[in-house]
Amino acid sequence: MHGHRFADAPFGPGFGRGRGRGPRGRGADAPPPVDRAEVAGWLAGRLPDGWFTGPVELTVDRDEITVVGALEEPSAGEGDAEAARTGRIERFREETRGRRMAIADAAQERYGRSVAWGAACGETRQLFTHASVPVMTRLRQPERLVLDTLVDAGVARSRSEALVWAVRLVGQHTDEWLTELRNAMTSVEEVRARGPQVG
């Protein structure tokens, strides 16, 4: 299935391929790792000049590439400033839909990942699309009881929703540590890329 079918779809039911167990938890059908710098360079070459005021904010995982660019703020005038920024983002989304879909389709074929788009204008930020990818987990009874407690208490409606809630909570309270961990992983990838090539 091509990525362009999801390149500008509204939020809705998630999609994704099932993952079997494999090396480091990756299934046989999982796309290979990609170098973030390579993706950034490829996008810099594909994105039209003038779309964004600077380099895009790029997030890459095993399933998705998220691209968020900063737009020039509307000139000061009458009316609500936040509404003006929101309008600027919505105009960008509508006017660039075709080009973004073509870029997303090419990225899907090149990297094996769908592309989500977003834009920021001043303090206003909007993500147009995002993949909600099913995650296969193996939880023991104590972990399942934690999820069931959240469901029974009305915090979540299901175990899967409780798991999402828990992951978000961890992300909020360990953001600095997670950022350090991601930076360390990036350094390892850069060192590995400079090593001898086999084959």
Side-chain angles (χ1 to χ4, degrees):
M1 184 170 290
H2 292 296
H4 68 272
R5 299 193 179 183
F6 299 97
D8 203 24
F11 287 100
F15 67 94
R17 296 189 300 272
R19 305 278 189 228
R21 298 192 68 182
R24 298 189 182 186
R26 285 160 43 84
D29 62 342
V34 296
D35 179 30
R36 184 185 178 282
E38 199 277 337
V39 177
W42 182 84
L43 278 171
R46 289 299 300 260
L47 292 173
D49 296 336
W51 267 18
F52 304 119
T53 59
V56 297
E57 177 187 319
L58 185 64
T59 305
V60 181
D61 65 15
R62 293 189 182 105
D63 304 285
E64 188 174 36
I65 298 170
T66 302
V67 183
V68 179
L71 306 178
E72 185 176 351
E73 289 202 57
S75 57
E78 295 184 4
D80 182 78
E82 184 171 350
R85 290 191 290 265
T86 299
R88 176 63 56 89
I89 292 173
E90 291 175 350
R91 187 182 76 181
F92 170 81
R93 179 179 185 178
E94 294 167 0
E95 293 180 350
T96 63
R97 182 175 283 113
R99 297 287 295 275
R100 287 188 291 106
M101 285 182 172
I103 294 170
D105 202 30
Q108 171 92 24
E109 186 166 339
R110 182 181 179 91
Y111 299 113
R113 292 157 170 81
S114 61
V115 175
W117 295 93
C121 186
E123 299 299 319
T124 305
R125 178 185 175 95
Q126 184 177 345
L127 192 64
F128 306 154
T129 54
H130 226 326
S132 179
V133 181
V135 178
M136 301 303 293
T137 59
R138 291 179 179 271
L139 299 179
R140 297 182 184 276
Q141 189 177 45
E143 289 84 20
R144 295 198 305 271
L145 287 173
V146 171
L147 300 183
D148 290 342
T149 299
L150 294 173
V151 173
D152 294 342
V155 175
R157 291 173 294 183
S158 64
R159 281 181 172 177
S160 60
E161 190 174 281
L163 185 59
V164 170
W165 183 88
V167 169
R168 286 177 178 168
L169 186 65
V170 170
Q172 290 172 3
H173 291 281
T174 60
D175 184 65
E176 183 177 349
W177 178 79
L178 289 172
T179 299
E180 292 179 1
L181 185 60
R182 293 188 187 102
N183 291 337
M185 290 165 56
T186 300
S187 298
V188 171
E189 290 177 1
E190 291 174 352
V191 172
R192 185 182 297 134
R194 292 197 297 267
Q197 303 298 314
V198 179

